[in-house]
Amino acid sequence: MRFLATLFLLVLLLATVEASRRSRLLRKLYKKSTNYDTAPNNVETVWYKGMRLDHFTWGDTRTFDLRVMWNNTFYKEGGPIFFYTGNEGGLESFEKATGMMFDLAPMFNAAIIFAEHRFYGQTQPFGKDSYKNLANIGYLTSEQALADYAELLTELKRDNNRMGKTFSQDTPVISFGGSYGGMLSAWFRQKYPHLVKGAWAGSAPLIYMHDGGVDPGAFDNITSRTYVDRGCNRYILANAWNATIRLSSTDAGRQWLNNNNVFKLDPRTPIKTAADGWNLNSYLREAIEYMAMVDYPYPTGFLEPLPAWPVDAACGYMNATGTSFSDQDLVSAVANAANIYYNYNKNASFTYCIDYSICGDQGTGGLGDDQLGWPWQECSEIIMGMCARGGSNDVFWNECPDNIYDDLKQGCISIFGSMNWTTANWNIDAVKTLYGYDLSGSSNLILTQGHLDPWSGGGYTADQTNAARGIYVMEIPGSAHHLDLRTPNTCDPNTVTNARFQIVSILKCWVDKNCNTIPTITPLPSISIPNTECKDVIGGYPWGQTTGSAAAASALLSLIVAIYYALF
């Protein structure tokens, strides 16, 4: 009986750790700024006073203030509005991670507007009580957020409006967004086509929900592919996790884990049991997954300070050939790789705090008072079934239960049980009902996915492109999580540059009332990675690309296909 009780507690611990890990994954890129009150210097912060708390009833007249950041420097009459649909965090990080809006605005004479998502950043409808109870947090929904954005845009086109800036009624609006923001951007176009001319949604896992047709193991399958394709020894990654558990199950192994030359454990979270070993595994795994998401071709620092191509750097520690490794060798290899993520600057005092309940999430640094926001959305409407399968699917351990949604319920209870959360507070088919998975009724959507990005498995595929209705789906080789929306850089792969070039042609037609042609896209070129000094390219359009070369490539491809069918 004691053994069964211990086993039950271990299984419960693993379920709780995994639910916590999932809740952190999609909010990965947007840690709290050093100074949450300081806006970037290229935007002005304004407030929309009196935003309706509930857009779907006329009996509740409560309001709140919604934070907006904008830049009207480049705007000229007749130009469009570039509108960012804010997502799960403060606006500061989104503004910094979406440089394409600023790079293209002068060419389009566009205004730039970032609207903060309710319940995130400084937009707290109930102030410090926003996350106090279910009655308050229940107003945190994607549908209410989209209605906020619709009301804001409608107000901006009224004369003498409360924002002090009026745009003409026929000003076209293009929505932009990455990750969950990309989901919102696409849904914004779908739900409010009379307000939004088109959407550029980067790395949006729009169908990674119940009945969306995506395997729960897709995320970790792509993570594993990204590492193995870059030269990592699959055996090392796949076997390090059991090595950790074996070490944490013996006195000698625990002695090494608590005192080694590769990493230092925080004094608050020593390894005393196998359960602590699982905490270490989750901690190391988070670094591996995050580096796959942000595997950018130049150094970045918005998540953690990282080198260019961090997966390449990580594989430098995990590329030894063969299978003859000790448990210490395996754990050391993966921990050295994780150190690139957690401690690239080699701070001698840095320690692994592996229990999130004690230290919070060292992987993202936290989101301030809104840390319950995304977990709530995962426990109400945006419910993603995700798990590693191990084996041939990925390099992690098999954690997929018979019913993943039962597992998710336990995670929600562990987080919101004190607020009396029950399954009556969620709807696993909410996204399917509100927005749908079928693009047949949609138009004017640019949906980009990075081939390196684990989230790409939750998006649409290129064969769902339908230029006649303005649906363009691109999977971009060499691109990680919404790299295409970031500021152009000399080190960007040619595939990313060409994708942006083709997208600009689409945007030009969308905002031009006289455009009568249907934009088309051509296959992206074979990937080529520049070997040069990395620096931002401001105002560099067309970035060395030409329509003629793309058209020629398309014509050549069509000719080859025609010859093939003629001969065979």
Side-chain angles (χ1 to χ4, degrees):
M1 289 295 293
R2 180 177 296 178
F3 170 76
L4 291 176
T6 301
L7 180 61
F8 172 78
L9 289 174
L10 180 59
V11 171
L12 181 61
L13 171 68
L14 289 175
T16 302
V17 168
E18 174 55 20
S20 176
R21 185 190 70 83
R22 275 195 302 266
S23 295
R24 294 189 301 274
L25 276 174
L26 197 62
R27 69 185 195 200
K28 68 277 146 225
L29 298 181
Y30 309 114
K31 67 177 182 178
K32 184 175 179 180
S33 303
T34 303
N35 183 346
Y36 226 174
D37 299 324
T38 302
N41 58 16
N42 58 347
V43 292
E44 176 189 3
T45 297
V46 294
W47 289 85
Y48 183 95
K49 303 284 187 179
M51 181 65 72
R52 291 184 64 89
L53 178 66
D54 190 344
H55 294 277
F56 306 109
T57 178
W58 303 112
D60 189 338
T61 59
R62 289 176 293 175
T63 63
F64 65 96
D65 296 341
L66 183 138
R67 186 167 64 144
V68 176
M69 292 182 183
W70 65 14
N71 183 324
N72 295 310
T73 304
F74 312 112
Y75 178 72
K76 294 180 181 178
E77 188 68 29
I81 294 173
F82 286 173
F83 187 89
Y84 189 92
T85 48
N87 33 320
E88 74 285 18
L91 283 179
E92 294 87 351
S93 293
F94 304 129
E95 188 273 344
K96 295 174 184 176
T98 319
M100 275 302 297
M101 292 174 65
F102 292 87
D103 196 60
L104 296 179
M107 179 171 66
F108 281 82
N109 299 323
I112 299 170
I113 299 176
F114 286 77
E116 193 159 62
H117 196 301
R118 55 169 58 199
F119 286 84
Y120 290 106
Q122 294 183 29
T123 301
Q124 300 297 322
F126 297 96
K128 293 182 179 180
D129 291 333
S130 293
Y131 291 91
K132 182 178 181 180
N133 51 48
L134 296 185
N136 289 357
I137 198 175
Y139 290 99
L140 169 51
T141 73
S142 62
E143 196 175 19
Q144 294 279 10
L146 292 176
D148 291 341
Y149 304 152
E151 180 176 323
L152 171 62
L153 285 172
T154 300
E155 178 69 14
L156 284 170
K157 293 187 178 184
R158 290 193 181 106
D159 292 334
N160 302 315
N161 62 64
R162 70 188 76 179
M163 301 297 288
K165 173 70 176 178
T166 300
F167 295 89
S168 63
Q169 288 291 325
D170 60 353
T171 300
V173 176
I174 303 296
S175 63
F176 293 74
S179 198
Y180 171 48
M183 297 164 73
L184 291 168
S185 186
W187 293 337
F188 200 24
R189 164 61 186 174
Q190 290 173 314
K191 297 289 279 189
Y192 297 93
H194 59 294
L195 296 178
V196 182
K197 185 69 175 179
W200 181 350
S203 298
L206 287 158
I207 54 175
Y208 214 146
M209 268 72 63
H210 184 246
D211 281 347
V214 178
D215 186 274
F219 182 97
D220 286 305
N221 174 270
I222 296 170
T223 298
S224 303
R225 181 189 69 192
T226 294
Y227 279 88
V228 173
D229 285 353
R230 305 289 270 284
C232 275
N233 182 343
R234 185 184 183 97
Y235 181 90
I236 293 175
L237 268 169
N239 288 274
W241 320 113
N242 283 337
T244 300
I245 301 308
R246 286 192 294 268
L247 289 169
S248 63
S249 300
T250 68
D251 289 339
R254 288 190 290 269
Q255 173 66 24
W256 182 83
L257 289 171
N258 287 304
N259 299 278
N260 63 77
N261 295 323
V262 180
F263 59 87
K264 297 178 183 178
L265 291 173
D266 188 292
R268 294 171 294 173
T269 61
I271 292 180
K272 298 179 180 179
T273 66
D276 297 326
W278 281 114
N279 281 340
L280 177 59
N281 276 345
S282 293
Y283 185 87
L284 297 174
R285 173 179 170 180
E286 183 169 321
I288 297 300
E289 290 172 328
Y290 283 174
M291 284 191 286
M293 288 189 289
V294 295
D295 192 24
Y296 297 137
Y298 45 81
T300 57
F302 61 91
L303 200 164
E304 296 288 351
L306 290 172
W309 300 114
V311 169
D312 283 350
C315 283
Y317 292 103
M318 300 185 292
N319 60 3
T321 59
T323 59
S324 298
F325 304 100
S326 69
D327 286 347
Q328 291 183 13
D329 290 337
L330 292 170
V331 175
S332 294
V334 176
N336 271 315
N339 285 340
I340 293 171
Y341 179 81
Y342 288 118
N343 192 26
Y344 179 62
N345 291 332
K346 298 183 178 179
N347 181 350
S349 62
F350 179 80
T351 59
Y352 283 16
C353 192
I354 60 175
D355 188 336
Y356 301 111
S357 67
I358 293 175
C359 313
D361 183 7
Q362 285 186 303
T364 59
L367 293 172
D369 294 334
D370 53 18
Q371 291 188 75
L372 285 177
W374 186 253
W376 166 255
Q377 292 192 260
E378 277 201 317
C379 291
S380 54
E381 59 168 354
I382 304 178
I383 302 161
M384 297 184 173
M386 299 172 59
C387 55
R389 294 190 179 278
S392 61
N393 184 75
D394 57 73
V395 297
F396 303 107
W397 54 92
N398 184 358
E399 63 192 3
C400 288
D402 292 336
N403 186 328
I404 193 169
Y405 295 99
D406 284 342
D407 188 49
L408 286 171
K409 290 175 189 176
Q410 294 305 312
C412 293
I413 290 171
S414 71
I415 299 171
F416 297 105
S418 62
M419 297 184 189
N420 298 317
W421 183 95
T422 70
T423 53
N425 296 110
W426 82 348
N427 177 3
I428 62 173
D429 289 318
V431 170
K432 179 181 177 181
T433 302
L434 289 171
Y435 311 112
Y437 303 140
D438 186 349
L439 293 175
S440 62
S442 302
S443 63
N444 287 14
L445 297 176
I446 299 166
L447 307 174
T448 57
Q449 303 289 345
H451 182 73
L452 305 178
D453 180 20
W455 286 110
S456 64
Y460 293 96
T461 54
D463 60 1
Q464 290 168 291
T465 291
N466 187 327
R469 289 190 293 104
I471 304 293
Y472 306 93
V473 185
M474 296 182 178
E475 181 174 333
I476 308 173
S479 179
H481 205 53
H482 51 70
L483 172 61
D484 50 301
L485 288 173
R486 294 176 62 83
T487 301
N489 191 281
T490 54
C491 288
D492 287 328
N494 63 328
T495 47
V496 177
T497 303
N498 186 259
R500 288 175 178 144
F501 175 73
Q502 296 194 56
I503 289 169
V504 169
S505 296
I506 298 168
L507 298 181
K508 284 181 176 179
C509 187
W510 284 354
V511 302
D512 182 359
K513 64 181 68 176
N514 296 316
C515 180
N516 297 315
T517 60
I518 298 175
T520 58
I521 57 176
T522 58
L524 298 176
S526 298
I527 188 169
S528 175
I529 298 174
N531 182 16
T532 186
E533 179 186 0
C534 297
K535 55 184 179 181
D536 288 345
V537 179
I538 307 300
Y541 176 85
W543 309 295
Q545 307 291 306
T546 62
T547 303
S549 61
S554 179
L556 178 60
L557 179 63
S558 299
L559 178 62
I560 292 172
V561 171
I563 293 173
Y564 175 85
Y565 281 109
L567 294 176
F568 300 100

